[in-house]
């Protein structure tokens, strides 16, 4: 994205939304993993629920990251090409 900001602004902007979604997945996964590890370290808490939530996120939500990465890198042509269909 940074390489395209100067030369091809439309391509950089086309990847902005999937990039933010990808960042949200990464940040959410890190936070849930930290919570699960903290629950394991604290003996007075039952870590099962936090581990289950982190595992669900990793197995069902975070798997979208690969598709979002492709949209960030290669999705500009399809986004910018939609202008023709929207103008009609």
């Amino acid at each position: 994205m940074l390489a395209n900001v100067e030369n091809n602004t439309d391509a950089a902007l086309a990847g902005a939304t999937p990039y933010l979604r990808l960042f949200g997945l990464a940040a959410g996964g890190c936070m849930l993993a930290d919570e699960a590890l903290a629950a394991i370290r604290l003996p007075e808490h039952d870590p099962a629920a936090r581990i289950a939530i982190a595992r669900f996120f990793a197995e069902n939500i975070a798997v979208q990251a690969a598709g979002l990465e492709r949209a960030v890198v290669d999705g500009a042509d399809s986004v910018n090409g939609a202008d023709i269909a929207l103008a009609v």
Side-chain angles (χ1 to χ4, degrees):
M1 284 180 61
L2 289 176
N4 284 329
V5 169
E6 297 290 327
N7 302 330
N8 192 352
T9 306
D10 289 341
L13 293 175
T17 298
Y19 175 80
L20 289 174
R21 290 176 57 205
L22 180 59
F23 181 82
L25 288 177
C30 288
M31 288 181 195
L32 289 171
D34 283 344
E35 289 288 325
L37 291 173
I40 291 170
R41 291 185 193 118
L42 298 173
E44 65 271 5
H45 295 284
D46 181 21
R50 297 200 189 240
I51 292 170
I53 292 170
R55 183 174 178 187
F56 174 84
F57 185 88
E59 293 176 357
N60 296 283
I61 307 297
V63 295
Q64 300 170 17
L68 289 170
E69 184 265 338
R70 293 282 19 123
V72 170
V73 175
D74 295 330
D77 291 338
S78 64
V79 171
N80 294 327
D83 288 343
I84 295 169
L86 296 174
V88 175

